[in-house]
Amino acid sequence: MTTVTLNDIRAARERIVGKIERTPTGLSHSLSERLGIPVHLKLEHRQTTGSFKLRGASNAVASLSAEEKARGVVAASTGNHGRALAHAAKLEGMRAVICMSRLVPGNKLDEIRRLGADVRIIGNSQDEGQQEVERLVAQEGLVMLPPFDHPAIIAGQGTLGLEMIEQVPDAALVLVQLSGGGLASGIAAAVKGVSPGTKIIGVSMARGAAMKASLDAGRPVEVEELPTLADSLGGGIGLGNRLTFAMCRDLLDDVILLSEDEIAAGIRHAYEQEREIVEGAGAVGIAALLVGKVRATGPVVVLLSGRNIDMNTHRKIVCGDAIAERAA
């Protein structure tokens, strides 16, 4: 079975030196007091493009041949991968086309356009965007760099796991966002490759969690993509999934799902107690701890994966207003 190894992740780290930030990890006093054990926050939302996605995109672009770089790249995205790929392509002077659904928030579209990428809005799901990607590959010769099911993407995201276990070597548990599985499988491969006893739990939203549904079914399945505060976790895993389904099945110790209200509470806590602005997907680890859906007896590392939230939505949430209309 093809997979991504610890050596692949270590090679990716060398490849992206100088292209990404090594983000800090800090102790959360509020969560540590609440749980009675050390809780560390991996502040990846401070990454250059506002999310972890820059790691995978940078590694994938750096792995291309000169001929592939000349052709340009294309991807479907719920926003953060598109922004990261646009950034990485711009540094190389490459063409980038990003295909997204109508569910992607406007602030993410604006940032991708600002970076010079060609944005295509296609349908109401990431799967529909993927159909446009495949057309562009076939008709225009662009190189497809998908958001998760690609060895260079997974290895790039896995560099986060190396940093986590170096910064908190006694971590008993790592909470990681779960969507298509590129992040979760990469981090799990890195962490368990160095510290086999550390548990990895994937966290997602209850509204349209494709990987959780697929793991429950024992095979990749289609799930309706629904509006959610954790919009970055939307989209399917692909019925022809090659890597991330098997890696998540084999490496994750558990998967938990959160309601929209629970995700909103995580966003509020991050702002009020940690003084951090994070998007819905970035807050799911905090949210899981707040509602008691995760139990741990040793140090916990919680990934804050991104900050690219629409600020009008953020204000509504932190002020205690109703959850944003698009996620109601």
Side-chain angles (χ1 to χ4, degrees):
M1 180 186 72
T2 302
T3 190
V4 174
T5 67
L6 180 60
N7 285 338
D8 294 328
I9 296 167
R10 285 173 169 157
R13 175 155 69 173
E14 295 302 314
R15 200 175 289 121
I16 63 178
V17 168
K19 300 178 186 296
I20 61 106
E21 298 290 333
R22 179 183 171 93
T23 52
T25 295
L27 184 71
S28 166
H29 296 288
S30 61
L31 291 172
S32 297
E33 291 175 4
R34 187 184 187 104
L35 272 69
I37 54 176
V39 177
H40 304 268
L41 303 179
K42 176 59 170 171
L43 307 179
E44 183 65 11
H45 64 301
R46 299 184 186 177
Q47 190 55 255
T48 303
T49 57
S51 86
F52 71 93
K53 289 285 190 177
L54 186 59
R55 295 171 181 265
S58 296
N59 187 49
V61 167
S63 301
L64 296 177
S65 67
E67 184 271 336
E68 289 171 323
K69 290 179 180 179
R71 287 157 54 190
V73 293
V74 62
S77 174
T78 54
N80 285 337
H81 175 64
R83 183 174 177 180
L85 187 57
H87 178 90
K90 183 177 181 179
L91 291 180
E92 294 283 344
M94 295 166 51
R95 180 189 179 196
V97 181
I98 310 300
C99 302
M100 293 178 287
S101 81
R102 296 186 183 93
L103 297 179
V104 176
N107 66 300
K108 294 186 177 182
L109 300 178
D110 292 343
E111 282 300 313
I112 294 170
R113 290 191 177 106
R114 184 184 64 79
L115 288 165
D118 178 4
V119 173
R120 309 279 178 94
I121 306 301
I122 310 292
N124 295 306
S125 72
Q126 185 166 302
D127 290 339
E128 291 180 83
Q130 182 61 30
Q131 294 173 10
E132 176 69 2
V133 169
E134 292 167 4
R135 186 191 71 79
L136 290 167
V137 170
Q139 296 183 9
E140 299 187 24
L142 293 171
V143 177
M144 178 173 63
L145 291 179
F148 53 88
D149 196 32
H150 186 287
I153 297 289
I154 296 169
Q157 320 304 25
T159 62
L160 256 173
L162 294 180
E163 291 180 18
M164 287 175 168
I165 208 66
E166 287 165 358
Q167 292 166 334
V168 188
D170 60 343
L173 171 66
V174 173
L175 298 181
V176 58
Q177 288 71 7
L178 180 62
S179 179
L183 175 66
S185 59
I187 286 179
V191 171
K192 287 185 176 290
V194 176
S195 176
T198 301
K199 291 185 176 180
I200 312 290
I201 294 180
V203 190
S204 196
M205 70 289 173
R207 294 173 63 88
M211 183 61 81
K212 178 64 164 66
S214 297
L215 292 172
D216 289 345
R219 58 182 174 80
V221 298
E222 292 183 347
V223 174
E224 182 183 3
E225 191 170 342
L226 299 169
T228 171
L229 286 175
D231 54 88
S232 294
L233 301 184
I237 72 166
L239 296 181
N241 188 287
R242 299 179 302 123
L243 292 167
T244 61
F245 171 76
M247 290 182 70
C248 287
R249 179 196 62 205
D250 296 343
L251 295 174
L252 295 183
D253 293 283
D254 198 5
V255 175
I256 61 173
L257 303 180
L258 299 169
S259 71
E260 296 299 296
D261 285 333
E262 289 167 345
I263 295 168
I267 295 172
R268 279 194 296 272
H269 177 94
Y271 182 73
E272 294 171 354
Q273 300 296 324
E274 313 297 342
R275 300 296 190 263
E276 302 290 348
I277 293 175
V278 296
E279 59 189 272
V284 295
I286 289 176
L289 294 179
L290 291 177
V291 298
K293 290 187 175 181
V294 175
R295 300 187 185 280
T297 57
V300 179
V301 181
V302 180
L303 176 62
L304 306 190
S305 60
R307 65 167 184 259
N308 299 322
I309 188 171
D310 175 81
M311 291 310 296
N312 287 327
T313 299
H314 190 270
R315 279 189 287 272
K316 288 180 181 180
I317 293 169
V318 299
C319 291
D321 295 342
I323 291 176
E325 291 181 6
R326 63 182 172 84

